[in-house]
Amino acid sequence: MQTSLWELQKVIYARLTGHNQIMNVITGVHDKVSASAVKPYITIGEPTSEPLRTKTSIGENIVLPLHTWSSYGGKKETYEIFNLILKALKEPLNIEGSFLMLRRELTSMRALYDPIEDEVVHGVMELRFYINNK
């Protein structure tokens, strides 16, 4: 068995960066953010993966957080970015390699004021992906 984590991250990155409406609002999508990054932007978070086994197949149950960072001064921009992410990820994702996405679902969304950076809103959207190894 192989993990689909990297292939999943690549397809999500491509979908987000290829979505014109998102890219007109944010400055980028990052795996690791540089100190010079300008808000608003999205970061691909730290996934958790658990085995997904049936009598006939094996795969993964992955929860992947997407983080949004905004200095708008309120939560409005964060909510707008959430909606754009959901729009961009609405169509099925085709993962490369020997993987088949069975389904995906939104697990949670929250917007928090950052305790370190005044006026920064940190949004967290968690998505769950059920992926089979072919």
Side-chain angles (χ1 to χ4, degrees), residues 1-4 51-62 95-103 129-134:
M1 180 176 137
Q2 291 184 327
T3 182
S4 61
L52 175 65
R53 294 185 179 101
T54 69
K55 289 181 181 181
T56 59
S57 65
I58 189 164
E60 294 173 282
N61 170 352
I62 297 171
I95 302 175
E96 296 289 322
S98 62
F99 307 107
L100 174 65
M101 183 171 301
L102 302 173
R103 75 176 202 262
F129 300 90
Y130 298 92
I131 300 172
N132 253 3
N133 281 328
K134 295 182 189 174

Side-chain angles (χ1 to χ4, degrees), residues 9-19:
Q9 181 171 322
K10 287 192 312 187
V11 76
I12 289 173
Y13 177 85
R15 182 66 64 87
L16 295 176
T17 58
H19 194 272

Side-chain angles (χ1 to χ4, degrees), residues 5-25:
L5 289 170
W6 179 240
E7 296 303 326
L8 178 61
Q9 181 171 322
K10 287 192 312 187
V11 76
I12 289 173
Y13 177 85
R15 182 66 64 87
L16 295 176
T17 58
H19 194 272
N20 290 335
Q21 287 179 302
I22 288 178
M23 297 311 294
N24 286 335
V25 173

Side-chain angles (χ1 to χ4, degrees), residues 82-83 86 106-111 124-126:
F82 281 168
N83 282 328
L86 291 171
L106 176 64
T107 303
S108 67
M109 291 186 288
R110 59 192 174 280
V124 183
M125 172 185 283
E126 290 186 325

